Amino acid sequence: MEVIHSAPRSLFLPGTDSLARVRTTPKATPPPNFGTFHDAPRNSSRPIVVCVARKASVEIKEPSLVIRERQLGKFQVSEGHPAPFGATARDGGVNFSVYSSNAVAAALCLISLSDLSKGRVTAEIPLHPVANKTGDIWHVFLKGDFKDMLYGYRFDGKYAPEQGHYFDPSKILLDPYARAVVSRDEFGVVAQKDNCWPQMACMIPSGEDEFDWEGDLPLKLPQRELLIYEMHVRGYTKHESSGAEKPGTYLGIVEKLDHLKDLGVNCIELMPCQEFNELEYYKYNSVMGDYKMNFWGYSTINFFSPMTRYSSAGTRNCGRDAINEFKLLVREAHKRGIEVFMDVVFNHTAEGNEKGPILSFRGLDNSVYYMVAPKGEFYNYSGCGNTFNCNHPVVRQFIVDCLRYWVLEMHVDGFRFDLASIMTRGSSLCDAANVFGSPMEGDLLTTGTPLGSPPLIDMISNDPVLRDVKLIAEAWDAGGLYQVGTFPHWCIWSEWNGKYRDVVRQFIKGTDGFSGAFAECLCGSPNLYQAGGRKPWNSINFVCAHDGFSLADLVTYTNKHNLANGENNNDGENHNNSWNCGQEGEFASIFVKKLRKRQMRNFFLCLMVSQINYFRWDKKDEASSDFFRFCHLMTNFRRECESLGLNDFPTAERLQWHGHAVGVPDWSETSRFVGFSLVDAVKGEIYIGFNASHLPVTISLPERPGYRWEPLVDTGKAAPFDFLAEDLPGREVAIQQLAHFLDGNLYPMLSYSSVILILKPDLTSCS
């Protein structure tokens, strides 16, 4: 490899003892561009300049790396521009720009696809600390043939973990702004020599990269109308029972979008699908006789890159085809009126603690990107070894840039922020000047201190692009910060309502003392959100999610049984507020199995009559056609009801609470019944009741002269009579069998059941 300068100049690389002079012409002129980088004959007498790995220094010497000159082609090299960050196709070439404030030397590494598989660098361009650096930004501009070429960086500086520095020029680092990461091609398959961490490299963009959006525009559905379905991209269609032609991929989901629409879903939330390594914890599992993998993906390597192994194309076309598959998923979802949210993990990365790998951020500028203590220890508010330094100026700008990219380029409609409370904590070495731009009186903020107005949340909330999309916070972290109801919100953030989950689980299984709290949950949790100026739809209600028990587990196990993964039942949440309905495990009596089905319907009905909803189930649940029918009909019913998606909290003008007797609610510690009637602009009036007692009960219904109550839903009935749809054969007979109760404004409820009745004109009274 050659770097040929058009004028004599001294190339000084920090950490070396002398100047390295490269002279190509006797005429002295001011330092110009780096000149032209191209192949040279093997016997060329021109000097070769190569960046060679060595701790805390970069030397000029004959290359020790394998250089593939004949495959390199010809490149024109110049200083480049500091903005924008990342690799950008422009002016007939590509500009490379990356941040590092503590590095003393840097080099751009070009890697062909063939060399990547062999773990080799194709060519390496040292970056001059004057010509190729502006402030703390290193940059270079190249023109040439980039076909099947990837890139990465080497950075050099202190390797001093006790000071928070991990510079190691033997590592090829990923650009945090890379649009695609190329490495292994197939999900779950190790690389050559059983390597779970083969070299990764970044896609070089081209001015010809295009995608036909076919006029796609944001749906901008009102948040109060959303029914959010949490989905694992691979898990949703990977099993052969899905019948997908492209199972386990973005295209596999596209095949099932009509099914989701039929269910009533108008928003899918994709569990992490930014680049991660599923082989991160690859280890033999003697219990199951297979290997452990990171299936969920909450361990991000690169935040701009879609997970390539979730695409049917894999790394084909250097990852461009994977990008287009993700775009196609979004486009096709929008065509069906379905928004697409992403679950993003800006609280930590896959680099872990001091024993973790050096992949990107750690090798670029560890003390900037992570929260570190004065002696270099990693703060661990994430519970995963490190904590992203979210409120550092550089890091928060990175996060905003990333979110903007997914909205503007990938057309994503919203984000769920995993362990979002970390994004409210003060950064490492946090002081007023660092955070707010000016000094303030008083002590320095301790690293990790919760901030009342976190700069990152402020930036996102006031960004002209991001404030217009849905923003959902998981308002807690592993460091004990719990902000449900108090997350800094600027009146636009919503929250995963963990309190809703806990209260609903307790009440539905019949725990005393939760009737009042359960009623609050049904109304959108005004006790949490009303005083702060937010609305019912700022509460994202859920009973089950990817964390902890599935809905089937919730009614099958009282205790956790995480044995199959070989972790000796030590992982996972221990407090699930679950109940096995009388017998532990899947093998149970017919009576217990019927009760479990009833409880699953109770939970789902509760979600559908609360003010906004979020749900998921595993494939085992969905395989039940009876349960699918129930969910399908319930989601349609919710969509038809004006009163179940209010823009504000319900008042006494619309809502009346009841106990076993009309207008006499029971909020005592021993109460296990909650009932209410709701005026609805479409349905007229609705009665909803929950009996969480182990005893049956007969309830009184509000008396409405000229009208009578007609049952619609009763989870105590066997399918299909649990939902009396208009086209159900035998519907009139089923209603007539209850006439002797309904004539007296009464209704019998089984233990652990819930009901919905609709007020209808009493045609018999007219005759």
Side-chain angles (χ1 to χ4, degrees):
M1 180 187 75
E2 298 180 321
V3 178
I4 302 177
H5 300 276
S6 58
R9 63 187 298 177
S10 297
L11 176 60
F12 177 70
L13 297 179
T16 63
D17 299 327
S18 62
L19 297 177
R21 296 188 180 276
V22 181
R23 185 178 298 275
T24 60
T25 174
K27 183 178 179 181
T29 57
N33 292 350
F34 262 12
T36 302
F37 168 168
H38 60 82
D39 289 343
R42 293 287 184 180
N43 60 356
S44 171
S45 61
R46 293 171 176 169
I48 297 175
V49 182
V50 178
C51 182
V52 178
R54 188 166 70 88
K55 295 290 186 185
S57 70
V58 175
E59 296 182 331
I60 306 299
K61 58 168 64 174
E62 290 291 327
S64 61
L65 298 172
V66 177
I67 305 299
R68 306 272 302 185
E69 293 179 343
R70 288 190 297 275
Q71 298 181 15
L72 185 58
K74 187 174 182 179
F75 291 89
Q76 184 180 349
V77 184
S78 58
E79 286 96 334
H81 306 274
F85 284 123
T88 307
R90 55 176 292 177
D91 304 326
V94 178
N95 190 75
F96 299 85
S97 174
V98 64
Y99 171 90
S100 181
S101 61
N102 291 299
V104 297
L108 174 68
C109 300
L110 299 177
I111 308 170
S112 68
L113 282 174
S114 58
D115 277 344
L116 179 67
S117 63
K118 299 178 179 65
R120 302 191 301 201
V121 173
T122 307
E124 191 157 343
I125 305 173
L127 304 187
H128 192 279
V130 176
N132 296 105
K133 190 180 181 187
T134 302
D136 294 327
I137 302 173
W138 300 77
H139 47 80
V140 66
F141 181 79
L142 273 66
K143 284 187 176 181
D145 182 8
F146 294 101
K147 181 176 174 54
D148 292 336
M149 194 69 74
L150 308 167
Y151 78 101
Y153 290 100
R154 294 191 195 273
F155 276 89
D156 203 0
K158 285 185 178 181
Y159 187 88
E162 70 281 1
Q163 298 177 32
H165 300 305
Y166 286 82
F167 290 103
D168 183 350
S170 70
K171 305 293 185 182
I172 307 297
L173 305 175
L174 296 175
D175 181 355
Y177 281 79
R179 299 317 197 243
V181 172
V182 177
S183 181
R184 293 179 297 101
D185 192 60
E186 189 175 350
F187 190 94
V189 178
V190 298
Q192 296 178 2
K193 299 180 181 180
D194 294 331
N195 188 358
C196 294
W197 287 99
Q199 180 61 53
M200 296 176 283
C202 310
M203 178 200 75
I204 298 178
S206 166
E208 299 177 356
D209 296 344
E210 293 182 355
F211 177 78
D212 184 3
W213 280 104
E214 300 180 359
D216 179 67
L217 292 172
L219 295 177
K220 296 187 177 181
L221 300 177
Q223 190 159 327
R224 65 180 182 275
E225 297 178 4
L226 291 186
L227 183 61
I228 307 170
Y229 185 107
E230 185 189 48
M231 174 186 295
H232 187 280
V233 173
R234 182 170 174 82
Y236 189 66
T237 63
K238 182 58 182 173
H239 195 272
E240 60 183 13
S241 63
S242 72
E245 292 184 12
K246 303 290 185 181
T249 67
Y250 303 121
L251 296 184
I253 296 176
V254 173
E255 297 177 47
K256 297 297 181 182
L257 288 174
D258 290 332
H259 165 79
L260 291 169
K261 183 178 180 180
D262 187 52
L263 181 59
V265 170
N266 58 8
C267 178
I268 55 175
E269 180 186 294
L270 306 178
M271 291 174 64
C273 52
Q274 294 160 312
E275 190 67 30
F276 69 94
N277 183 4
E278 74 279 8
L279 303 182
E280 180 179 3
Y281 307 113
Y282 195 70
K283 183 181 178 182
Y284 183 71
N285 179 1
S286 59
V287 177
M288 298 298 292
D290 57 10
Y291 288 83
K292 301 177 188 178
M293 285 194 290
N294 178 2
F295 189 70
W296 287 151
Y298 288 87
S299 192
T300 312
I301 290 173
N302 188 279
F303 292 96
F304 277 81
S305 308
M307 177 67 167
T308 55
R309 291 178 298 285
Y310 280 171
S311 71
S312 64
T315 58
R316 190 178 64 216
N317 199 11
C318 295
R320 293 179 181 87
D321 289 355
I323 294 173
N324 286 341
E325 280 195 21
F326 185 95
K327 290 179 177 180
L328 189 146
L329 166 58
V330 176
R331 186 190 73 191
E332 295 304 306
H334 286 176
K335 286 181 180 179
R336 293 161 175 80
I338 299 174
E339 292 193 332
V340 179
F341 292 2
M342 290 180 66
D343 194 342
V344 290
V345 190
F346 287 110
N347 56 77
H348 76 285
T349 77
E351 291 182 303
N353 59 19
E354 66 280 357
K355 297 179 180 179
I358 299 175
L359 306 171
S360 180
F361 303 99
R362 176 164 297 159
L364 288 168
D365 220 334
N366 182 79
S367 62
V368 168
Y369 285 105
Y370 297 111
M371 286 190 192
V372 293
K375 293 185 179 181
E377 303 95 332
F378 287 89
Y379 284 88
N380 189 19
Y381 294 117
S382 69
C384 297
N386 65 51
T387 305
F388 216 44
N389 206 16
C390 294
N391 282 297
H392 186 284
V394 170
V395 183
R396 65 182 187 244
Q397 185 62 59
F398 165 78
I399 294 173
V400 169
D401 290 345
C402 182
L403 295 173
R404 278 180 146 232
Y405 171 78
W406 286 100
V407 173
L408 297 175
E409 181 65 24
M410 310 294 267
H411 291 205
V412 166
D413 302 284
F415 303 94
R416 180 259 187 190
F417 294 83
D418 184 66
L419 298 185
S421 290
I422 282 176
M423 301 195 304
T424 72
R425 292 184 180 271
S427 61
S428 294
L429 306 178
C430 181
D431 56 46
N434 175 290
V435 175
F436 301 106
S438 61
M440 296 176 63
E441 294 183 2
D443 298 332
L444 295 179
L445 293 169
T446 303
T447 299
T449 299
L451 305 175
S453 297
L456 172 59
I457 307 301
D458 189 348
M459 285 181 68
I460 294 173
S461 303
N462 291 289
D463 184 87
V465 172
L466 300 178
R467 69 171 289 108
D468 201 33
V469 302
K470 279 82 170 181
L471 304 170
I472 302 171
E474 183 185 36
W476 56 82
D477 65 24
L481 184 56
Y482 191 79
Q483 297 175 307
V484 173
T486 62
F487 188 85
H489 55 79
W490 276 262
C491 290
I492 62 174
W493 284 76
S494 300
E495 295 172 13
W496 254 30
N497 192 342
K499 293 183 178 179
Y500 176 101
R501 172 200 59 203
D502 297 340
V503 168
V504 168
R505 288 186 179 189
Q506 292 278 26
F507 178 80
I508 293 294
K509 72 170 184 163
T511 305
D512 285 342
F514 284 92
S515 59
F518 180 74
E520 292 271 11
C521 290
L522 296 173
C523 293
S525 300
N527 56 317
L528 297 177
Y529 301 109
Q530 191 169 31
R534 286 189 280 179
K535 303 295 183 180
W537 41 264
N538 290 123
S539 169
I540 306 298
N541 301 325
F542 69 104
V543 173
C544 296
H546 64 273
D547 289 329
F549 283 6
S550 69
L551 187 57
D553 291 339
L554 196 62
V555 299
T556 305
Y557 301 100
T558 298
N559 301 306
K560 181 183 67 177
H561 295 273
N562 288 355
L563 299 172
N565 61 8
E567 298 291 335
N568 298 316
N569 207 32
N570 291 320
D571 62 326
E573 175 60 53
N574 290 314
H575 306 286
N576 289 286
N577 296 318
S578 58
W579 178 46
N580 61 21
C581 298
Q583 289 178 271
E584 189 79 352
E586 296 186 10
F587 298 100
S589 66
I590 295 177
F591 173 80
V592 168
K593 288 182 177 180
K594 287 182 177 180
L595 179 55
R596 288 174 179 174
K597 290 183 177 181
R598 195 186 314 162
Q599 288 289 71
M600 289 173 66
R601 287 164 168 74
N602 290 335
F603 280 121
F604 195 83
L605 188 150
C606 174
L607 273 176
M608 292 300 101
V609 301
S610 300
Q611 288 298 313
I612 189 171
N613 307 290
Y614 177 108
F615 74 99
R616 77 181 304 271
W617 56 56
D618 56 19
K619 301 302 293 183
K620 178 173 58 179
D621 300 332
E622 190 170 344
S624 168
S625 59
D626 290 344
F627 188 61
F628 176 82
R629 172 187 176 273
F630 181 83
C631 294
H632 166 71
L633 292 171
M634 278 301 310
T635 54
N636 286 339
F637 172 75
R638 174 189 165 79
R639 189 168 55 246
E640 294 168 357
C641 292
E642 167 267 345
S643 60
L644 297 180
L646 298 176
N647 200 39
D648 214 333
F649 297 98
T651 64
E653 295 178 354
R654 177 188 287 270
L655 182 147
Q656 184 182 12
W657 295 105
H658 308 293
H660 294 159
V662 174
V664 188
D666 183 359
W667 309 125
S668 69
E669 283 292 306
T670 57
S671 172
R672 297 187 182 182
F673 181 86
V674 171
F676 63 98
S677 52
L678 195 61
V679 175
D680 187 90
V682 177
K683 299 293 185 181
E685 190 171 357
I686 306 167
Y687 181 96
I688 301 172
F690 296 88
N691 179 27
S693 171
H694 62 287
L695 299 173
V697 62
T698 298
I699 59 173
S700 297
L701 302 172
E703 200 170 321
R704 302 288 188 257
Y707 294 85
R708 65 184 284 120
W709 292 99
E710 185 175 283
L712 178 69
V713 178
D714 187 341
T715 63
K717 305 291 186 184
F721 296 101
D722 52 352
F723 196 112
L724 298 177
E726 291 289 340
D727 59 352
L728 177 68
R731 175 179 178 274
E732 295 301 326
V733 174
I735 295 175
Q736 186 59 36
Q737 289 175 343
L738 294 165
H740 56 294
F741 286 100
L742 297 173
D743 289 344
N745 287 316
L746 301 172
Y747 193 85
M749 293 183 66
L750 285 182
S751 60
Y752 303 109
S753 69
S754 46
V755 298
I756 299 177
L757 295 96
I758 307 293
L759 194 64
K760 300 279 189 176
D762 187 356
L763 301 180
T764 59
S765 63
C766 296
S767 59

